[in-house]
Amino acid sequence: MTDTPLLICGAAFTEDERARLSTAVSSVSVESPAALEGLAPNLRERLRVVAYKGQAPFGAREMAALPGLGLIANFGVGYDAIDLAAATARDIRVTNTPDVLNDDVADMALGLILAQARCLLRGDGWVRSGRWGKYGEMPLARKVSGARAGIVGLGRIGREIADRLAAFKMEIHYHSRQQKETPGWRYHADPVSLAGAVDFLVVALVGGEETRNYVSAEAIAALGPTGVLINISRGTTVDEGALLAALEQRRIAGAGLDVYLDEPAIDPRFQGLDNVVLQPHAGSATAETRRAMAELQLANIRAFLDGEPLPSPVN
């Protein structure tokens, strides 16, 4: 293997995704960043690109193990697992796969709102178990259309979510680092103010240390006993301990979650709650979108190796 410029790093890659990469570029594969140092030194020296997928940290130590590294091509829009400052300091480019997953993640947010408010999972069980025939109708659910929705983070995905909720005749409120041009949506300067003004609070922030516990215990408390929290961003963006306590003590009405602090081994307290809808970090998990993400990751790799502009640079 005299020319092996690509390292495929991450156990989360599917067989099809690995095959797409390895067919296009001569490569070697490892299951995690921790396995880098197990590669032969002469092989590590030849590696110029890392195709990365996962949540394990990829930091300065991992970068130092690859002296010829010039690009980390991340699979996913969130790149908080990659130490961007360390990469920039070493003149290593980082790319991600934005935009192609916006619709699916926004759809998931809407699905979590509907599932939580309209008790869709409970309704499915009510029919399957025979309780409908035995006991009649379930207790009444909650109306979604016309309610007040708050978006924490009005970026690409946050705006797609807001557009969908506006179609449900919902009153849209939002918080972002700065006020944005919107069709009359109401801006709030902080998450606590936003949470206190809405029925459904949807978290659509980027991950990373800057947004850790951005939705704080105070914001969760401000939702109140009829409020619902929806998180499709990163588990780190919400104070998970405060959220669990609020759900257990019924200080908020419920939650719909696609992300958690310790995935996939989430806090078992979630599994005992009947006021939360849980999903396995599946916001972008459709065949169409995952294929588009894989294609964009590969396009960034090819552009770098060919000396062309990167389609979706981060730094």
Side-chain angles (χ1 to χ4, degrees):
M1 298 175 67
T2 58
D3 180 22
T4 308
L6 175 64
L7 175 70
I8 303 171
C9 182
F13 281 107
T14 66
E15 290 185 12
D16 285 346
E17 291 162 356
R18 288 182 190 276
R20 180 187 298 272
L21 290 166
S22 60
T23 299
V25 183
S26 178
S27 64
V28 64
S29 183
V30 295
E31 292 294 287
S32 72
L36 287 177
E37 294 182 0
L39 298 174
N42 63 338
L43 174 58
R44 285 193 274 114
E45 290 173 2
R46 295 199 300 270
L47 295 168
R48 298 177 57 203
V49 178
V50 169
Y52 188 67
K53 184 179 182 181
Q55 296 301 314
F58 199 104
R61 178 175 179 176
E62 290 74 23
M63 296 174 201
L66 304 170
L69 183 61
L71 172 70
I72 303 172
N74 187 59
F75 188 108
V77 66
Y79 49 86
D80 43 300
I82 299 167
D83 188 332
L84 189 62
T88 302
R90 296 180 64 91
D91 199 27
I92 297 169
R93 304 298 303 277
V94 176
T95 59
N96 64 345
T97 59
D99 296 324
V100 294
L101 49 66
N102 295 355
D103 283 335
D104 274 350
V105 177
D107 289 349
M108 175 64 80
L110 181 58
L112 287 170
I113 289 174
L114 290 170
Q116 209 286 333
R118 296 302 302 269
C119 304
L120 298 184
L121 300 183
R122 184 180 181 186
D124 181 85
W126 197 259
V127 176
R128 291 178 186 275
S129 66
R131 281 176 286 176
W132 187 21
K134 186 174 182 179
Y135 300 111
E137 294 185 355
M138 282 181 11
L140 295 178
R142 179 177 183 177
K143 185 176 181 178
V144 172
S145 294
R148 299 166 300 168
I151 314 295
V152 186
L154 200 68
R156 296 182 180 104
I157 293 173
R159 190 170 284 270
E160 290 287 348
I161 295 168
D163 285 340
R164 283 158 172 74
L165 299 183
F168 275 68
K169 306 174 186 176
M170 297 180 85
E171 181 182 292
I172 305 300
H173 300 241
Y174 74 96
H175 165 70
S176 194
R177 284 178 291 183
Q178 58 188 15
Q179 193 165 354
K180 302 196 175 183
E181 185 176 341
T182 68
W185 301 342
R186 301 185 186 182
Y187 174 74
H188 293 258
D190 61 84
V192 177
S193 169
L194 176 64
V198 301
D199 304 300
F200 297 91
L201 185 69
V202 185
V203 187
L205 295 165
V206 297
E209 287 304 312
E210 290 186 2
T211 58
R212 183 174 292 275
N213 290 343
Y214 198 85
V215 179
S216 62
E218 291 77 16
I220 294 166
L223 267 173
T226 62
V228 173
L229 185 141
I230 305 294
N231 191 4
I232 47 78
S233 61
R234 284 287 191 266
T236 54
T237 61
V238 173
D239 185 332
E240 190 169 279
L243 175 61
L244 276 163
L247 289 166
E248 290 169 337
Q249 297 165 22
R250 307 284 172 167
R251 288 187 280 108
I252 64 173
L257 306 174
D258 190 40
V259 291
Y260 316 85
L261 274 184
D262 298 309
E263 301 175 8
I266 71 170
D267 193 313
R269 292 160 66 190
F270 281 119
Q271 297 162 354
L273 294 169
D274 63 1
N275 55 350
V276 60
V277 175
L278 307 174
Q279 289 294 296
H281 201 152
S284 66
T286 67
E288 296 86 352
T289 289
R290 290 292 172 85
R291 183 168 57 250
M293 292 167 69
E295 289 171 353
L296 181 51
Q297 182 184 45
L298 180 54
N300 278 295
I301 292 169
R302 281 176 164 155
F304 175 81
L305 294 175
D306 292 341
E308 298 176 354
L310 300 173
S312 53
V314 172
N315 63 351

